[in-house]
Amino acid sequence: MNFLKNIVDDSKDAIVYVMPIDPQESNNTDFKIVYANVAAQTLLVSSKNTLVDHTIAEIEKLSLIEGLQNALQEVFESQEQVNIPLYAALAEQTGYTYATLKGNGEGVVLTFLFNIENDILKTNAGFLESANDKRIINEQELAGIINNSVLDSFNNIICYVKPTYDANGEIEDFKIEYINNRMVEITREEPSLIIGKTLLEYYPQNSTNGVLQLLRECYTTEENVEFLRQYHFNDEDFWFSNRAIKMNDGIMLFSKDVSREKEYEEQLFVQNRLLTEAESVASIGSFRWNLAKTDVKYSDNVYRLFGYEPNEFESNYERLLSFVHVNDVERVKKGFRDAREHKGRTDLVFRIMTKTKEIKYLNTIGECFKKDVNWYMVGVIRDVTRQIEIESNLQARNAELKRTNSDLEAFNRVASHDLQEPLRKIQMFISRLSDEEKGRMNQKSQGYLEKVKSSSDRMRNLINNLLSYSKVEEVVELPKSVNLNDVLDNVLDDLGERINELKAQISADDLPIVNGVQFQLEQLFTNLISNSLKYIKPNTETNIQIKSTIISKNELPQELSLSNDVYVKLQFLDNGIGFEAQYEKKIFEIFQRLHGKNEFTGTGLGLSICKKIVESHNGAIMAKGKPNVGAEFIVYLPVLI
Amino acid sequence: MNKLRILLVDDDEDDRQFFADALEGIELNTQLHLLENGKSCMEYLNKETENLPDLIFLDLNMPIMNGFECLEAIRSTPHLKDIMVAIYSTSSAERDIEETFEKGANIYIKKPSSFNELKKSLKQVVKMNWSYHLNDFKKENFLLKV
């Protein structure tokens, strides 16, 4: 039985055997510890104290496990198996997550399972730490208590083999002396069918996969060997993590089925590769932080963001703070503190100083989540320096634009409002002068007065247009549903005199309802139609057509970037003098006149006002012209369907 | 029939002259008094309590006391609060019109740029049957478009 004791002591699983103090007492009896292995000793008490002979209630860590006493009682009576979770603090500190209780005749075997999943990826075969044999109880006692069921309660396959020799005295194989019943789960073979076979008989590939050689070395050098091998049973692949320990005249083999972990590991490897690639492309780093600790796990790119090589600085919270700009440190601290406290989301932008003394803006976004008993914050860190710079440039430019705009506005106000006053007086005096001196002035003076009059009329016109141009943006009225048919009717009404004078033919489609400001839309229609009534071809019947089509966003001309889904396309077509295609854009610029002042009346503001109105309605306007054929103005306005 | 007593408050001498000439030109039974700012207007109205005007034309942009202040003063003086007030200004700004109506103006006339137009609008205002329109004015203000 000696090797069995060694196995138990060598296990990383903590094993405690307890017996009821008073078996007759069915309720509320405490249990006394009669055996504990090294791992249990380490787990539950400091190495100086011994667990044996103490009751469960006397061992603080055991007494803190919720429901342990009841569970022991239950298992002792039913002789069945029960799993109970350990309390968070213990699990977090030690890596043991739950305890298995199994009835075993006179007592109960308590096995604290080490969380292999945590451990396996670190050291593939490291589930058994070497344990110096500390004799906790004498061997006789142990033999009395321990039987195979303890070994069977392990997660691992445990196997004891002894070498067999060939004629030359060389080890040619190993004979299986003992194997616990874990193999049943994998191969459906009872231990009794395996015991007695040699390793090569049982699994011939052991000679070709190097295992036999490894065991030979283990036996001759007496050094522990760890290895990971793939096995094939019943058409299924398994990965075993193995550890071989020379013991007496044989080898103790511990094998752990790590197929799932191996699969996860592969997935993880692939995902990590993908993440790393993605991070370096997007210049983003990621981090994972166990909130109970100060260590933070960074991805390689985090180090690069700070100007370092991967792992070049210590990965903890304090070190991170040391990069942060003095003026931002408090804010960053507070952000993380809040997130830690409320397990909420953080979204911080702060400045850092990189290794090369470069100032960068970083944005970190983290979310908290709970896994098992621990809270983690997982998040990304990205470099937003460029965005911030662009933004602040934009802000500066915006401010400048605002200043220019308000200067312009002030100028406009002066130009339009204050100029009106003297102009009005000039016009008033002219009107009085022409009234009173009617018939008394000679032809020449009469002509001069007419010139003064028409010049002042033009000036008034200009001022009014300037005023309405600057007013498009300062509309107080909220947009409403406006029926464009009503707009057109009103405008044609206002322009009636001119239309009759020219005997102009005007036809229009049925127009939709749009969201807008009525008086502005009326001004738009007025300007466009009176434009057509102005630039007419002599000796031709003036013809104006207004077409309306509903179009979807993707039917818009490509150069327009508009965001609504549906638009109305309004076409104002005339058969006037038209214009050269090269003026299609220029025509909308402020004070842009294509014709001499004396040919046609106008201030050069009409179409600029149209453009401003259409744009303030989130639409667009375009012009097409052909000299001596006509002009076409196309207005796109968003419509609600 | 009694003469309609009209008071014009305007700091611009030319405008006062235009107004007087236009009023004379429409040959209606009116009596005009001219003042040059809000302050002199209030002094006049507080003194002439027996002989108050029927209609006050008020310019907005004036020194010492402007039209807005004068309008407020008129509307907050008990014996003056029911007098008809017509704003007579160069401004056609929406907010000026609204503000004066809020402060209790009854009519808003934008100063025209021709003498004939001025005569036309004064005729319109003076010929109104005031007592008949009184209730309408109180309900809805009146913007005279010329």
mmCIF file with all atom_site columns, all heavy atoms in Angstrom, chain A residues 17-30:
data_model
loop_
_atom_site.group_PDB
_atom_site.id
_atom_site.type_symbol
_atom_site.label_atom_id
_atom_site.label_alt_id
_atom_site.label_comp_id
_atom_site.label_asym_id
_atom_site.label_entity_id
_atom_site.label_seq_id
_atom_site.pdbx_PDB_ins_code
_atom_site.Cartn_x
_atom_site.Cartn_y
_atom_site.Cartn_z
_atom_site.occupancy
_atom_site.B_iso_or_equiv
_atom_site.pdbx_formal_charge
_atom_site.auth_seq_id
_atom_site.auth_comp_id
_atom_site.auth_asym_id
_atom_site.auth_atom_id
_atom_site.pdbx_PDB_model_num
ATOM 1   N N   . TYR A 1 17 ? -9.981  12.789 4.991  1.00 0.00 ? 17 TYR A N   1
ATOM 2   C CA  . TYR A 1 17 ? -10.919 11.730 5.364  1.00 0.00 ? 17 TYR A CA  1
ATOM 3   C C   . TYR A 1 17 ? -11.464 12.049 6.748  1.00 0.00 ? 17 TYR A C   1
ATOM 4   O O   . TYR A 1 17 ? -10.703 12.323 7.660  1.00 0.00 ? 17 TYR A O   1
ATOM 5   C CB  . TYR A 1 17 ? -10.216 10.355 5.352  1.00 0.00 ? 17 TYR A CB  1
ATOM 6   C CG  . TYR A 1 17 ? -11.180 9.211  5.501  1.00 0.00 ? 17 TYR A CG  1
ATOM 7   C CD1 . TYR A 1 17 ? -12.040 8.870  4.443  1.00 0.00 ? 17 TYR A CD1 1
ATOM 8   C CD2 . TYR A 1 17 ? -11.243 8.483  6.673  1.00 0.00 ? 17 TYR A CD2 1
ATOM 9   C CE1 . TYR A 1 17 ? -12.933 7.830  4.575  1.00 0.00 ? 17 TYR A CE1 1
ATOM 10  C CE2 . TYR A 1 17 ? -12.146 7.426  6.812  1.00 0.00 ? 17 TYR A CE2 1
ATOM 11  C CZ  . TYR A 1 17 ? -12.985 7.088  5.754  1.00 0.00 ? 17 TYR A CZ  1
ATOM 12  O OH  . TYR A 1 17 ? -13.864 6.073  5.885  1.00 0.00 ? 17 TYR A OH  1
ATOM 13  N N   . VAL A 1 18 ? -12.788 12.120 6.822  1.00 0.00 ? 18 VAL A N   1
ATOM 14  C CA  . VAL A 1 18 ? -13.378 12.479 8.115  1.00 0.00 ? 18 VAL A CA  1
ATOM 15  C C   . VAL A 1 18 ? -14.308 11.383 8.598  1.00 0.00 ? 18 VAL A C   1
ATOM 16  O O   . VAL A 1 18 ? -14.890 10.648 7.797  1.00 0.00 ? 18 VAL A O   1
ATOM 17  C CB  . VAL A 1 18 ? -14.155 13.811 8.034  1.00 0.00 ? 18 VAL A CB  1
ATOM 18  C CG1 . VAL A 1 18 ? -13.230 14.962 7.720  1.00 0.00 ? 18 VAL A CG1 1
ATOM 19  C CG2 . VAL A 1 18 ? -15.279 13.733 7.019  1.00 0.00 ? 18 VAL A CG2 1
ATOM 20  N N   . MET A 1 19 ? -14.438 11.292 9.945  1.00 0.00 ? 19 MET A N   1
ATOM 21  C CA  . MET A 1 19 ? -15.384 10.322 10.524 1.00 0.00 ? 19 MET A CA  1
ATOM 22  C C   . MET A 1 19 ? -16.231 11.050 11.547 1.00 0.00 ? 19 MET A C   1
ATOM 23  O O   . MET A 1 19 ? -15.763 11.975 12.201 1.00 0.00 ? 19 MET A O   1
ATOM 24  C CB  . MET A 1 19 ? -14.602 9.185  11.192 1.00 0.00 ? 19 MET A CB  1
ATOM 25  C CG  . MET A 1 19 ? -13.921 8.295  10.179 1.00 0.00 ? 19 MET A CG  1
ATOM 26  S SD  . MET A 1 19 ? -12.771 7.172  10.949 1.00 0.00 ? 19 MET A SD  1
ATOM 27  C CE  . MET A 1 19 ? -13.806 5.750  11.233 1.00 0.00 ? 19 MET A CE  1
ATOM 28  N N   . PRO A 1 20 ? -17.473 10.646 11.656 1.00 0.00 ? 20 PRO A N   1
ATOM 29  C CA  . PRO A 1 20 ? -18.330 11.316 12.639 1.00 0.00 ? 20 PRO A CA  1
ATOM 30  C C   . PRO A 1 20 ? -17.831 11.065 14.053 1.00 0.00 ? 20 PRO A C   1
ATOM 31  O O   . PRO A 1 20 ? -17.358 9.968  14.367 1.00 0.00 ? 20 PRO A O   1
ATOM 32  C CB  . PRO A 1 20 ? -19.707 10.691 12.412 1.00 0.00 ? 20 PRO A CB  1
ATOM 33  C CG  . PRO A 1 20 ? -19.463 9.425  11.696 1.00 0.00 ? 20 PRO A CG  1
ATOM 34  C CD  . PRO A 1 20 ? -18.186 9.587  10.926 1.00 0.00 ? 20 PRO A CD  1
ATOM 35  N N   . ILE A 1 21 ? -17.907 12.073 14.912 1.00 0.00 ? 21 ILE A N   1
ATOM 36  C CA  . ILE A 1 21 ? -17.470 11.915 16.300 1.00 0.00 ? 21 ILE A CA  1
ATOM 37  C C   . ILE A 1 21 ? -18.380 10.946 17.016 1.00 0.00 ? 21 ILE A C   1
ATOM 38  O O   . ILE A 1 21 ? -17.939 10.067 17.738 1.00 0.00 ? 21 ILE A O   1
ATOM 39  C CB  . ILE A 1 21 ? -17.466 13.287 17.023 1.00 0.00 ? 21 ILE A CB  1
ATOM 40  C CG1 . ILE A 1 21 ? -16.403 14.171 16.360 1.00 0.00 ? 21 ILE A CG1 1
ATOM 41  C CG2 . ILE A 1 21 ? -17.191 13.116 18.510 1.00 0.00 ? 21 ILE A CG2 1
ATOM 42  C CD1 . ILE A 1 21 ? -16.475 15.607 16.781 1.00 0.00 ? 21 ILE A CD1 1
ATOM 43  N N   . ASP A 1 22 ? -19.652 11.083 16.774 1.00 0.00 ? 22 ASP A N   1
ATOM 44  C CA  . ASP A 1 22 ? -20.609 10.197 17.425 1.00 0.00 ? 22 ASP A CA  1
ATOM 45  C C   . ASP A 1 22 ? -21.544 9.634  16.353 1.00 0.00 ? 22 ASP A C   1
ATOM 46  O O   . ASP A 1 22 ? -22.541 10.256 16.006 1.00 0.00 ? 22 ASP A O   1
ATOM 47  C CB  . ASP A 1 22 ? -21.404 10.992 18.476 1.00 0.00 ? 22 ASP A CB  1
ATOM 48  C CG  . ASP A 1 22 ? -22.380 10.085 19.194 1.00 0.00 ? 22 ASP A CG  1
ATOM 49  O OD1 . ASP A 1 22 ? -22.392 8.859  18.899 1.00 0.00 ? 22 ASP A OD1 1
ATOM 50  O OD2 . ASP A 1 22 ? -23.142 10.612 20.019 1.00 0.00 ? 22 ASP A OD2 1
ATOM 51  N N   . PRO A 1 23 ? -21.220 8.456  15.826 1.00 0.00 ? 23 PRO A N   1
ATOM 52  C CA  . PRO A 1 23 ? -22.001 7.917  14.709 1.00 0.00 ? 23 PRO A CA  1
ATOM 53  C C   . PRO A 1 23 ? -23.458 7.654  15.074 1.00 0.00 ? 23 PRO A C   1
ATOM 54  O O   . PRO A 1 23 ? -24.308 7.593  14.206 1.00 0.00 ? 23 PRO A O   1
ATOM 55  C CB  . PRO A 1 23 ? -21.285 6.611  14.365 1.00 0.00 ? 23 PRO A CB  1
ATOM 56  C CG  . PRO A 1 23 ? -19.983 6.670  15.082 1.00 0.00 ? 23 PRO A CG  1
ATOM 57  C CD  . PRO A 1 23 ? -20.166 7.560  16.255 1.00 0.00 ? 23 PRO A CD  1
ATOM 58  N N   . GLN A 1 24 ? -23.728 7.481  16.361 1.00 0.00 ? 24 GLN A N   1
ATOM 59  C CA  . GLN A 1 24 ? -25.111 7.178  16.768 1.00 0.00 ? 24 GLN A CA  1
ATOM 60  C C   . GLN A 1 24 ? -26.005 8.412  16.659 1.00 0.00 ? 24 GLN A C   1
ATOM 61  O O   . GLN A 1 24 ? -27.188 8.315  16.399 1.00 0.00 ? 24 GLN A O   1
ATOM 62  C CB  . GLN A 1 24 ? -25.132 6.665  18.228 1.00 0.00 ? 24 GLN A CB  1
ATOM 63  C CG  . GLN A 1 24 ? -24.221 5.477  18.478 1.00 0.00 ? 24 GLN A CG  1
ATOM 64  C CD  . GLN A 1 24 ? -24.440 4.349  17.485 1.00 0.00 ? 24 GLN A CD  1
ATOM 65  O OE1 . GLN A 1 24 ? -25.578 4.016  17.128 1.00 0.00 ? 24 GLN A OE1 1
ATOM 66  N NE2 . GLN A 1 24 ? -23.369 3.743  16.987 1.00 0.00 ? 24 GLN A NE2 1
ATOM 67  N N   . GLU A 1 25 ? -25.365 9.537  16.908 1.00 0.00 ? 25 GLU A N   1
ATOM 68  C CA  . GLU A 1 25 ? -26.130 10.799 16.871 1.00 0.00 ? 25 GLU A CA  1
ATOM 69  C C   . GLU A 1 25 ? -26.463 11.116 15.414 1.00 0.00 ? 25 GLU A C   1
ATOM 70  O O   . GLU A 1 25 ? -25.572 11.403 14.610 1.00 0.00 ? 25 GLU A O   1
ATOM 71  C CB  . GLU A 1 25 ? -25.258 11.932 17.455 1.00 0.00 ? 25 GLU A CB  1
ATOM 72  C CG  . GLU A 1 25 ? -25.935 13.290 17.557 1.00 0.00 ? 25 GLU A CG  1
ATOM 73  C CD  . GLU A 1 25 ? -26.983 13.345 18.639 1.00 0.00 ? 25 GLU A CD  1
ATOM 74  O OE1 . GLU A 1 25 ? -26.673 12.916 19.790 1.00 0.00 ? 25 GLU A OE1 1
ATOM 75  O OE2 . GLU A 1 25 ? -28.084 13.794 18.341 1.00 0.00 ? 25 GLU A OE2 1
ATOM 76  N N   . SER A 1 26 ? -27.727 11.054 15.079 1.00 0.00 ? 26 SER A N   1
ATOM 77  C CA  . SER A 1 26 ? -28.064 11.209 13.670 1.00 0.00 ? 26 SER A CA  1
ATOM 78  C C   . SER A 1 26 ? -27.993 12.675 13.211 1.00 0.00 ? 26 SER A C   1
ATOM 79  O O   . SER A 1 26 ? -27.670 12.960 12.073 1.00 0.00 ? 26 SER A O   1
ATOM 80  C CB  . SER A 1 26 ? -29.458 10.651 13.381 1.00 0.00 ? 26 SER A CB  1
ATOM 81  O OG  . SER A 1 26 ? -30.398 11.276 14.232 1.00 0.00 ? 26 SER A OG  1
ATOM 82  N N   . ASN A 1 27 ? -28.283 13.581 14.113 1.00 0.00 ? 27 ASN A N   1
ATOM 83  C CA  . ASN A 1 27 ? -28.245 14.996 13.738 1.00 0.00 ? 27 ASN A CA  1
ATOM 84  C C   . ASN A 1 27 ? -27.143 15.746 14.462 1.00 0.00 ? 27 ASN A C   1
ATOM 85  O O   . ASN A 1 27 ? -26.780 15.410 15.575 1.00 0.00 ? 27 ASN A O   1
ATOM 86  C CB  . ASN A 1 27 ? -29.582 15.683 14.058 1.00 0.00 ? 27 ASN A CB  1
ATOM 87  C CG  . ASN A 1 27 ? -30.627 15.274 13.045 1.00 0.00 ? 27 ASN A CG  1
ATOM 88  O OD1 . ASN A 1 27 ? -30.333 15.131 11.855 1.00 0.00 ? 27 ASN A OD1 1
ATOM 89  N ND2 . ASN A 1 27 ? -31.829 15.046 13.538 1.00 0.00 ? 27 ASN A ND2 1
ATOM 90  N N   . ASN A 1 28 ? -26.655 16.794 13.775 1.00 0.00 ? 28 ASN A N   1
ATOM 91  C CA  . ASN A 1 28 ? -25.755 17.753 14.404 1.00 0.00 ? 28 ASN A CA  1
ATOM 92  C C   . ASN A 1 28 ? -24.506 17.190 15.024 1.00 0.00 ? 28 ASN A C   1
ATOM 93  O O   . ASN A 1 28 ? -23.981 17.755 15.985 1.00 0.00 ? 28 ASN A O   1
ATOM 94  C CB  . ASN A 1 28 ? -26.492 18.552 15.499 1.00 0.00 ? 28 ASN A CB  1
ATOM 95  C CG  . ASN A 1 28 ? -27.570 19.394 14.877 1.00 0.00 ? 28 ASN A CG  1
ATOM 96  O OD1 . ASN A 1 28 ? -27.412 19.862 13.740 1.00 0.00 ? 28 ASN A OD1 1
ATOM 97  N ND2 . ASN A 1 28 ? -28.658 19.558 15.599 1.00 0.00 ? 28 ASN A ND2 1
ATOM 98  N N   . THR A 1 29 ? -24.022 16.098 14.511 1.00 0.00 ? 29 THR A N   1
ATOM 99  C CA  . THR A 1 29 ? -22.752 15.639 15.043 1.00 0.00 ? 29 THR A CA  1
ATOM 100 C C   . THR A 1 29 ? -21.624 16.226 14.199 1.00 0.00 ? 29 THR A C   1
ATOM 101 O O   . THR A 1 29 ? -21.774 16.416 12.998 1.00 0.00 ? 29 THR A O   1
ATOM 102 C CB  . THR A 1 29 ? -22.681 14.091 15.049 1.00 0.00 ? 29 THR A CB  1
ATOM 103 O OG1 . THR A 1 29 ? -21.401 13.716 15.564 1.00 0.00 ? 29 THR A OG1 1
ATOM 104 C CG2 . THR A 1 29 ? -22.823 13.529 13.639 1.00 0.00 ? 29 THR A CG2 1
ATOM 105 N N   . ASP A 1 30 ? -20.526 16.544 14.838 1.00 0.00 ? 30 ASP A N   1
ATOM 106 C CA  . ASP A 1 30 ? -19.405 17.084 14.079 1.00 0.00 ? 30 ASP A CA  1
ATOM 107 C C   . ASP A 1 30 ? -18.569 15.918 13.565 1.00 0.00 ? 30 ASP A C   1
ATOM 108 O O   . ASP A 1 30 ? -18.714 14.786 14.016 1.00 0.00 ? 30 ASP A O   1
ATOM 109 C CB  . ASP A 1 30 ? -18.570 17.995 14.991 1.00 0.00 ? 30 ASP A CB  1
ATOM 110 C CG  . ASP A 1 30 ? -17.723 18.955 14.155 1.00 0.00 ? 30 ASP A CG  1
ATOM 111 O OD1 . ASP A 1 30 ? -17.683 18.784 12.913 1.00 0.00 ? 30 ASP A OD1 1
ATOM 112 O OD2 . ASP A 1 30 ? -17.125 19.882 14.737 1.00 0.00 ? 30 ASP A OD2 1
#
